[in-house]
Amino acid sequence: MAQADAIIRHLAAVSDYLLLDLGVGLDEANRHSLSLCYHIVVTVEPQRVALTLAQSLLGELTGTLNLPSHKISVAVCQ
């Protein structure tokens, strides 16, 4: 986790924008990385199962991780 933190902070210092593709799952490193983000975009496919999972993820982000909802956007990709 310390390595991920150092990498993210260094890359953010040398660039105007930093895009992190954290993949799937909310392991400890991803949870910590999300707390460092200025804005989070959750991408989802327009299928019932994917939308249900995204809704659950949003609840986890705002509930368990205490991330403010104004920092989170959803992008539906086809």
Side-chain angles (χ1 to χ4, degrees):
M1 188 165 39
Q3 284 181 322
D5 184 67
I7 291 168
I8 291 169
R9 290 185 189 279
H10 176 72
L11 290 173
V14 298
S15 63
D16 292 331
Y17 296 96
L18 179 60
L19 176 68
L20 302 175
D21 182 353
L22 298 179
V24 298
L26 288 176
D27 60 12
E28 195 61 34
N30 281 355
R31 289 174 183 262
H32 180 70
S33 298
L34 287 168
S35 70
L36 300 174
C37 293
Y38 176 77
H39 195 81
I40 299 163
V41 179
V42 176
T43 58
V44 62
E45 295 178 354
Q47 300 168 350
R48 183 180 301 270
V49 173
L51 294 169
T52 301
L53 290 172
Q55 185 176 19
S56 177
L57 175 62
L58 293 172
E60 185 77 12
L61 293 175
T62 58
T64 306
L65 298 181
N66 295 320
L67 296 173
S69 60
H70 70 274
K71 290 178 62 172
I72 304 169
S73 297
V74 176
V76 179
C77 302
Q78 293 188 359

